[in-house]
Amino acid sequence: MIIAPSILSADFSKLGEEIKAVEPYADWIHIDVMDGNFVPNITIGSPVVKSLRKVTMLPFDIHLMIEEPEKHYMDFVKAGADFITIHVESTKNLHRLINEIKKYCKVGIALNPATPLCMIENIIEEIDLLLIMSVEPGYGGQKFIEGSIKKISKARKMIGKDVYLSVDGGVDGSNAALIKKAGADVLVSGSYIFKSRSYKKAIESLRKA
Ligand code: DX5
Ligand code: ZN
């Protein structure tokens, strides 16, 4: 199981220290980029990612919740992304963009809760990761949408074994086992980890699930 703490729920006044604190237990660092347009919230941009790149060797899993990601993905490549995940809902030329990103790093596709899996039918062969949003994107700390479990099982059957299946939103100690059983191999978790008293214990509980 790959555990990717989402730093959206970390203390933004000390992001470097927060990453250092989860580093011994985490596999990837999940970074949520929001533009106030694709989603209502605005978070961080590539200069911050570039600074954080100096802090850790862990892979950076960049989740772009922005309109027209084709205009911005290169900034995140240069800032040190290992994975760049874009939303199917955010761009008109998905196939082209996937193949552009693939020249530089691993590429993921994200689906909002209401977006059906058939949207990725023709691009499965091209991607490294599928991210199922189990909350409406935009904020940390929301409740896991139960219907996501069925979608995760269906997604795993569709993509086969070789594509990462990541689940993002409301993931915690109470649902991690169910999510894993449904076929996910990457758990993104923000508030459950960063609002807990022990990051170590929170991450271990997800991993053991
Ligand atoms: C939501 C983000 C998530 C978020 C998850 O739009 O994509 O990565 O940080 O936070 P929790 O785990 O608190 O739902
Ligand atoms: Zn995310």
Side-chain angles (χ1 to χ4, degrees):
M1 203 58 165
I2 289 164
I3 310 292
S6 160
I7 59 168
L8 185 61
S9 295
D11 183 339
F12 270 32
S13 71
K14 46 173 190 175
L15 277 180
E17 288 166 54
E18 292 277 72
I19 288 178
K20 275 288 170 209
V22 293
E23 188 180 39
Y25 322 108
D27 302 286
W28 300 350
I29 299 295
H30 183 89
I31 303 178
D32 290 303
V33 176
M34 307 187 188
D35 66 351
N37 195 13
F38 180 71
V39 288
N41 200 4
I42 299 179
T43 56
I44 60 184
S46 58
V48 176
V49 176
K50 192 177 171 193
S51 307
L52 295 175
R53 189 64 287 183
K54 295 180 212 132
V55 172
T56 181
M57 297 287 281
L58 288 181
F60 276 179
D61 174 30
I62 311 282
H63 180 188
L64 294 184
M65 285 162 274
I66 62 175
E67 291 291 348
E68 300 186 288
E70 55 277 11
K71 286 190 182 161
H72 303 284
Y73 80 89
M74 192 47 98
D75 295 338
F76 292 92
V77 167
K78 289 184 184 152
D82 296 277
F83 287 81
I84 293 184
T85 293
I86 52 171
H87 272 261
V88 284
E89 305 89 356
S90 70
T91 179
K92 295 193 183 93
N93 301 103
L94 195 60
H95 188 271
R96 182 195 296 155
L97 182 55
I98 288 169
N99 283 287
E100 277 299 310
I101 295 174
K102 263 170 79 171
K103 291 182 194 161
Y104 308 100
C105 65
K106 302 243 186 251
V107 63
I109 290 297
L111 300 178
N112 279 344
T115 306
L117 284 165
C118 62
M119 293 298 286
I120 59 151
E121 213 174 282
N122 298 332
I123 44 141
I124 292 172
E125 312 285 305
E126 321 282 334
I127 60 176
D128 300 296
L129 179 147
L130 173 64
L131 185 148
I132 303 285
M133 286 304 306
S134 41
V135 299
E136 209 61 68
Y139 301 96
Q142 302 180 78
K143 196 179 169 299
F144 184 84
I145 298 169
E146 299 299 333
S148 313
I149 295 291
K150 243 172 93 180
K151 193 174 182 183
I152 296 161
S153 311
K154 218 170 138 187
R156 176 50 84 195
K157 288 191 190 96
M158 224 174 133
I159 62 179
K161 295 195 306 289
D162 298 335
V163 177
Y164 290 113
L165 182 54
S166 177
V167 177
D168 185 6
V171 174
D172 62 25
S174 74
N175 54 29
L178 215 59
I179 296 168
K180 185 181 175 186
K181 199 169 155 233
D185 51 11
V186 183
L187 295 179
V188 175
S189 181
S191 49
Y192 178 67
I193 295 173
F194 286 103
K195 303 292 179 215
S196 73
R197 278 167 57 197
S198 161
Y199 298 172
K200 177 173 188 259
K201 280 193 185 140
I203 293 173
E204 279 172 356
S205 76
L206 294 175
R207 198 184 294 287
K208 270 192 284 188

